[in-house]
Amino acid sequence: MTSMQSIRDVYRRSLPERPYCTNYIGRRPHIQNRDRAICYSHIQINSPLVWRWIVCDIDGEDGYERAEDRHCPKPNFIAMNRNNGHSHIGYLLEAPVTGFEKSSRHAIRFYDDIQRGLTHRLGADLSYGGFLCKNPCSSQWLTDWQAVRPYD
């Protein structure tokens, strides 16, 4: 992967086949196929038992600069609310982590540790559950695609 276009393509392909999505936070999301869901402002970025992304919720007006200012790795995307600067920062994993019965408990703990560490380092919302994310493909957000490679 060497270009911004390809990281966007990987993002689209990495979404669940039938993710939850909505244009209205606070209302019950609904399920759409991936091609329709990509048009919504908020989308389910990970499957329930397959985690390809780590997403952090920045509830401050400095959401765009937060990763750089706090010496965190460059995210794959930043999706920022144009009105208040609040952002979702996404990191793509090179290999997904799974939560199946026979999945590696070590890998799950490592994923949890990295997510918790990024959340603390970024000063992100500790109560963000990660179910729905600001969709970086939505025109509602100011999106910056940064790192072009996934993280291992």
Side-chain angles (χ1 to χ4, degrees):
M1 205 176 359
T2 58
S3 72
M4 290 301 152
Q5 182 59 43
S6 60
I7 191 67
R8 282 184 224 139
D9 293 341
V10 169
Y11 167 78
R12 288 172 187 256
R13 288 191 311 269
S14 74
L15 293 171
E17 287 185 34
R18 295 187 44 78
Y20 282 91
C21 55
T22 186
N23 283 324
Y24 307 101
I25 289 297
R27 289 192 188 168
R28 186 176 175 170
H30 51 280
I31 296 173
Q32 293 285 347
N33 68 47
R34 184 184 305 154
D35 293 334
R36 291 193 62 178
I38 200 73
C39 298
Y40 286 79
S41 64
H42 291 81
I43 195 165
Q44 177 187 2
I45 198 166
N46 286 315
S47 297
L49 296 174
V50 179
W51 311 304
R52 289 178 163 76
W53 291 89
I54 293 176
V55 177
C56 295
D57 178 29
I58 308 298
D59 289 334
E61 57 189 43
D62 64 337
Y64 182 79
E65 300 89 10
R66 190 81 65 97
E68 184 177 355
D69 289 350
R70 299 204 178 184
H71 308 289
C72 290
K74 186 181 287 194
N76 295 99
F77 74 81
I78 299 172
M80 184 179 74
N81 183 320
R82 300 167 196 272
N83 298 322
N84 60 19
H86 294 198
S87 303
H88 280 171
I89 296 176
Y91 294 91
L92 174 63
L93 304 178
E94 188 171 46
V97 176
T98 61
F100 299 109
E101 186 176 326
K102 296 195 180 213
S103 295
S104 165
R105 297 295 155 222
H106 176 73
I108 294 169
R109 279 193 304 275
F110 187 62
Y111 174 87
D112 289 341
D113 288 346
I114 297 297
Q115 185 170 32
R116 188 172 32 261
L118 279 170
T119 298
H120 284 286
R121 186 93 173 259
L122 288 165
D125 184 349
L126 296 172
S127 64
Y128 173 63
F131 175 59
L132 293 178
C133 160
K134 285 178 171 66
N135 179 4
C137 292
S138 170
S139 61
Q140 182 169 340
W141 316 119
L142 179 61
T143 299
D144 188 18
W145 297 92
Q146 294 190 354
V148 296
R149 297 191 183 280
Y151 288 91
D152 60 2

